[in-house]
Amino acid sequence: MSCGGESCSNNLVEEGGVVIAHISSSYPPSLSVLLKIEITPVEVQTLQEDDFFPMSAFFVLDAGSSQVNWQFLVEGNDGPELNETFTFTLKTESAPASVTVKTPSFNVVILQNEDPFGTIAMSGPSEAIVNEGEFHFINIYRAGGKYYDQTIYWNITSTLNSQGEAVREFTPSSGSVVLPSGTSSGTIPLRVNDDFVPEDLEVFYFQLTKVEGGAALGTPFIQSIGVVGNDY
C-alpha cells in the first residue's frame, strides 16, 4: 500500500486535498479480497473526527485484479493548526490464506494551516505623550494562532535609526518580552526617567524589531513617544 495523488507529495497533504491509497497485489487473487483501511492519529493538537473523510473504509480487491485504489478527502477544519500526522493501516477482513499484507501502513502529514503561530503587532495609538518620572505601557497582541512561545524584540530610538538619547531617557531602552503559548496579549512597561535637565519636547520611537518562535511581525509596530518639556 502506498500514498498517491497530486496532493500527496512525499506523504504531505494540505487541507482540501486528496489522499489516494494504492493497493497492489504481486499476483491477481483467485478469490475476491475484502480489505479495510483505518486512519488513526499519531501527532495531533485536537483530534477532529472529520480530519479525513472517511476515517475508515471497506473495499474489495476483485478476483483476477492486481490493484485497487481508494480515495480519502482531507477535510478543512476551522482554526489554526500545526502539522498533524496520521497513520493509514491496511487490514484483510476476508481473504484466501495465501494473501498477506506486505506494506501494512504509511503515515500522512496534514501541513500546518491558517496561521498557527499568529501575527504580532502593537495595539493602541500610533502616538503618545508622556511626562518624565512616569511609566508608559506598550500593549502588544497576537492575531491568529497561539501556538508556541513567541519572543518579541524591541528598542527605543531618538530617530528611526539611532538610539541617541533614548538610553538616558528610558529604562530600559531595548529588550525582549515572551508571549507564552496560548496567550494573545502582553504589556511592555517603560519608565520615563527624570534627569532634572531643562528640555523642550523630545520625540522618541518605540519599535518592535523582530519575533522569534514562528509568528510574523505585523503592523502597527512603531509608536512615537513625546516626552513633555520640563525642568525649566
Side-chain angles (χ1 to χ4, degrees), residues 146-187:
K146 301 176 181 65
Y147 288 105
Y148 295 172
D149 293 353
Q150 304 298 321
T151 302
I152 304 154
Y153 294 87
W154 58 271
N155 65 28
I156 303 174
T157 58
S158 55
T159 67
L160 286 178
N161 57 12
S162 173
Q163 207 163 8
E165 294 296 314
V167 173
R168 178 172 60 84
E169 200 73 41
F170 292 90
T171 302
S173 60
S174 63
S176 64
V177 62
V178 175
L179 203 57
S181 177
T183 60
S184 58
S185 62
T187 302

Side-chain angles (χ1 to χ4, degrees), residues 77-126:
N77 300 318
D78 292 333
E81 295 175 308
L82 298 175
N83 288 354
E84 297 184 302
T85 304
F86 294 82
T87 296
F88 284 60
T89 303
L90 176 66
K91 302 177 181 179
T92 57
E93 296 292 306
S94 176
S98 60
V99 174
T100 59
V101 177
K102 183 177 180 181
T103 307
S105 65
F106 60 79
N107 285 351
V108 170
V109 176
I110 302 178
L111 296 174
Q112 65 186 42
N113 54 83
E114 299 182 48
D115 192 18
F117 306 110
T119 300
I120 305 293
M122 295 168 52
S123 61
S126 60

